[in-house]
Amino acid sequence: MKLTKSDSGEVMRGPAPNSTRSSYWDVWKGLAIVAVVVIHSCGELSSSPPNSLTGLFGIGLRQIVNFAVPVFLAMAGFFAGRGPSGSPVDFYRKRLVRILAPYFIWTTIYLAQDAITESLNIKEAVKAYLFGTGIGIGYFVIVLTQYTLLTPLITRIKSGRKHFLIMMTITAIGLFFTYYFPALHPESPISKFPAYALPFFVWYPFYHLGIYAAQRQAAGSSSFNGPRKFITLTFIFAIAGFIEGYFWARHGNYSFGTSQLKLTNTLYSVTFFLLILSLSRSRTVFNHDSFLALAGRNSYAVYLVHMILLTPIQRFLGSYPAIIGLQPVYIFLSTSMTLFACIALVLLLRRLLPKRLAGMILG
C-alpha cells in the first residue's frame, strides 16, 4: 500500500475523509483511541482482588489495550519520518501549532469547568498546562511535544546500527527509571501519575522506531514484511505481559501491573506496531472506511475531549448496581457511549465552526 503525501505528519488528527487519506492508518488510529477510552473506563477494576475473576479480567483486558499510547507515538514517528525534510523551524512551527493549540484550548475549558466547583490558583493552573494535568491525561501531549522537538535530530541518523544503539540505550535508561520508581518505589513523588510518564525516555523506543521504520520502508526494505511472525510475537508478549501484570498486582502494585511502560508491554507494543506495519501493504479488513476510520481521523480531538464526557457517563452508569456489578458490561457501555458522544460533538463542531477555527480547536 502506497502512502500519500497527506499521510505525512498525521497522528491523532485529520480533516474529513478525502481521496488522498489512508483508511488503513485511520482505522488503526481509531482502534488506538478506542483502546484509550477503554483504559480510562477500567478504574473500577483496580479495587478487585487480582486472583478474582473480575481481577483477572481487568489485568487481561488492560494488557490487550495497552498498545494505545505506544502505537500512537510509533505512528507519529512513522509519519514524521515519511514527511518532507524541510527546515527544522518550519517543521516545529507547523507541528507544534497543530499539537499545542487544541491542547491549550481544551485545557482552558477543563480548568474553567473545575473553577466552577473548586478554587484554582495561578500555580495550579500553570502546572496544569505544563504537566498535562489540566485535562487529566495531557501527559501524552507533553511527551509528543518532546519528540517533535527531537525529530530533526532523529531523522538525520541514516545508519541502522546508530538507530539501534540509540534506541536500545535510551530504552534501557527508560526501563531503569520505570522499574526503579513506579515498580519498586511507588511511594516516591516521582512514581505518582503523571510525573513518571512525562519524560520522553520512558516511552522509547516507539517514536524512534516509527521514524526508523519509515526510513527503511522508503528505502525499499522488506524487514517489516511477514505478519505471521509479528502475530506470534505479539501473542507471546501479550501472555508475558499478563503474567507480569498479575505478579505486580499480587504484590500490591496493581497500577504498575497494568502499566503501558513495563518491559513486557514495551515488547508487546513494539511487535504490535510492527504487525500493523507489516499489514499496511496488503488489502485487509483494515483498509475500508468505517466508524473506526472516522474515529481515527478525529482521534486527537476525541483524546482531548473524552474525559469531560466520560465522567458524567460513568456517574450515570454507576447509579445502576446491576450494570456496575458486571464490569465487562459497564466498561463496554462506558466506552461506546463516550466514543459516540465524542464523535457526535466533534462532527457538530466541525460543521458549525469555520474550517480554520475548527482545526485550531479540534486539531
Side-chain angles (χ1 to χ4, degrees), residues 4-173:
T4 62
K5 183 177 180 180
S6 70
D7 294 308
S8 174
E10 296 289 338
V11 61
M12 295 187 78
R13 66 178 299 277
N18 56 58
S19 59
T20 61
R21 285 192 65 89
S22 164
S23 292
Y24 178 82
W25 291 103
D26 283 336
V27 166
W28 280 110
K29 291 179 199 174
L31 285 168
I33 198 61
V34 170
V36 166
V37 181
V38 170
I39 288 172
H40 297 149
S41 297
C42 289
E44 293 289 335
L45 293 173
S46 61
S47 60
S48 301
N51 56 348
S52 67
L53 188 61
T54 301
L56 292 171
F57 165 76
I59 295 169
L61 177 62
R62 280 300 305 269
Q63 181 56 46
I64 292 171
V65 298
N66 269 355
F67 68 87
V69 169
V71 165
F72 267 133
L73 291 172
M75 286 194 290
F78 181 75
F79 295 132
R82 292 187 67 94
S85 55
S87 162
V89 175
D90 290 338
F91 175 78
Y92 290 151
R93 178 176 55 82
K94 293 176 182 178
R95 289 281 292 174
L96 290 177
V97 168
R98 292 205 303 264
I99 294 170
L100 294 178
Y103 167 73
F104 281 120
I105 289 171
W106 284 102
T107 297
T108 302
I109 292 172
Y110 276 79
L111 291 179
Q113 183 186 45
D114 290 342
I116 295 174
T117 56
E118 56 187 80
S119 61
L120 183 70
N121 58 48
I122 295 178
K123 182 180 179 180
E124 291 173 340
V126 171
K127 288 173 63 178
Y129 286 105
L130 292 180
F131 303 131
T133 55
I135 67 170
I137 38 91
Y139 73 93
F140 172 82
V141 181
I142 308 304
V143 172
L144 184 58
T145 299
Q146 294 173 72
Y147 282 124
T148 300
L149 296 174
L150 290 171
T151 299
L153 295 175
I154 300 174
T155 53
R156 289 177 188 170
I157 304 169
K158 303 304 178 185
S159 166
R161 178 176 294 183
K162 288 182 179 178
H163 274 296
F164 181 77
L165 287 174
I166 292 171
M167 279 190 282
M168 291 301 294
T169 300
I170 301 181
T171 298
I173 294 171

Side-chain angles (χ1 to χ4, degrees), residues 29-362:
K29 291 179 199 174
L31 285 168
I33 198 61
V34 170
V36 166
V37 181
V38 170
I39 288 172
H40 297 149
S41 297
C42 289
E44 293 289 335
L45 293 173
S46 61
S47 60
S48 301
N51 56 348
S52 67
L53 188 61
T54 301
L56 292 171
F57 165 76
I59 295 169
L61 177 62
R62 280 300 305 269
Q63 181 56 46
I64 292 171
V65 298
N66 269 355
F67 68 87
V69 169
V71 165
F72 267 133
L73 291 172
M75 286 194 290
F78 181 75
F79 295 132
R82 292 187 67 94
S85 55
S87 162
V89 175
D90 290 338
F91 175 78
Y92 290 151
R93 178 176 55 82
K94 293 176 182 178
R95 289 281 292 174
L96 290 177
V97 168
R98 292 205 303 264
I99 294 170
L100 294 178
Y103 167 73
F104 281 120
I105 289 171
W106 284 102
T107 297
T108 302
I109 292 172
Y110 276 79
L111 291 179
Q113 183 186 45
D114 290 342
I116 295 174
T117 56
E118 56 187 80
S119 61
L120 183 70
N121 58 48
I122 295 178
K123 182 180 179 180
E124 291 173 340
V126 171
K127 288 173 63 178
Y129 286 105
L130 292 180
F131 303 131
T133 55
I135 67 170
I137 38 91
Y139 73 93
F140 172 82
V141 181
I142 308 304
V143 172
L144 184 58
T145 299
Q146 294 173 72
Y147 282 124
T148 300
L149 296 174
L150 290 171
T151 299
L153 295 175
I154 300 174
T155 53
R156 289 177 188 170
I157 304 169
K158 303 304 178 185
S159 166
R161 178 176 294 183
K162 288 182 179 178
H163 274 296
F164 181 77
L165 287 174
I166 292 171
M167 279 190 282
M168 291 301 294
T169 300
I170 301 181
T171 298
I173 294 171
L175 287 171
F176 175 81
F177 177 92
T178 297
Y179 277 83
Y180 185 82
F181 286 108
L184 301 176
H185 296 87
E187 74 286 350
S188 169
I190 297 177
S191 301
K192 307 304 179 186
F193 181 84
Y196 68 85
L198 289 172
F200 75 92
F201 51 80
V202 302
W203 295 100
Y204 249 76
F206 310 116
Y207 189 89
H208 193 143
L209 175 63
I211 292 178
Y212 174 67
Q215 291 183 351
R216 295 290 295 168
Q217 194 176 85
S221 171
S222 60
S223 303
F224 306 112
N225 293 342
R228 288 185 180 180
K229 61 185 177 185
F230 296 124
I231 291 173
T232 301
L233 288 171
T234 301
F235 178 77
I236 290 171
F237 291 133
I239 297 298
F242 174 82
I243 294 171
E244 184 185 5
Y246 180 73
F247 169 83
W248 289 108
R250 282 297 303 270
H251 285 79
N253 196 343
Y254 181 89
S255 176
F256 189 74
T258 57
S259 172
Q260 298 178 72
L261 294 171
K262 62 184 186 291
L263 173 60
T264 50
N265 199 81
T266 296
L267 296 171
Y268 167 70
S269 298
V270 164
T271 53
F272 195 100
F273 171 69
L274 294 177
L275 172 60
I276 295 171
L277 193 62
S278 70
L279 292 171
S280 66
R281 293 184 180 275
S282 306
R283 295 298 301 177
T284 67
V285 66
F286 303 106
N287 292 88
H288 303 293
D289 204 13
S290 62
F291 176 79
L292 283 174
L294 176 64
R297 286 191 289 271
N298 296 281
S299 52
Y300 191 42
V302 173
Y303 188 89
L304 295 173
V305 170
H306 78 273
M307 293 301 289
I308 286 180
L309 300 175
L310 177 64
T311 301
I313 286 173
Q314 288 194 314
R315 191 180 301 120
F316 167 75
L317 293 173
S319 64
Y320 295 90
I323 294 178
I324 201 167
L326 293 173
Q327 278 296 298
V329 174
Y330 172 76
I331 292 168
F332 172 78
L333 291 175
S334 174
T335 300
S336 57
M337 291 170 68
T338 300
L339 280 169
F340 280 109
C342 286
I343 294 297
L345 175 61
V346 170
L347 292 181
L348 179 64
L349 291 175
R350 290 199 187 279
R351 185 176 182 85
L352 295 178
L353 299 175
K355 185 176 181 180
R356 185 171 182 179
L357 179 59
M360 182 176 296
I361 294 174
L362 301 171

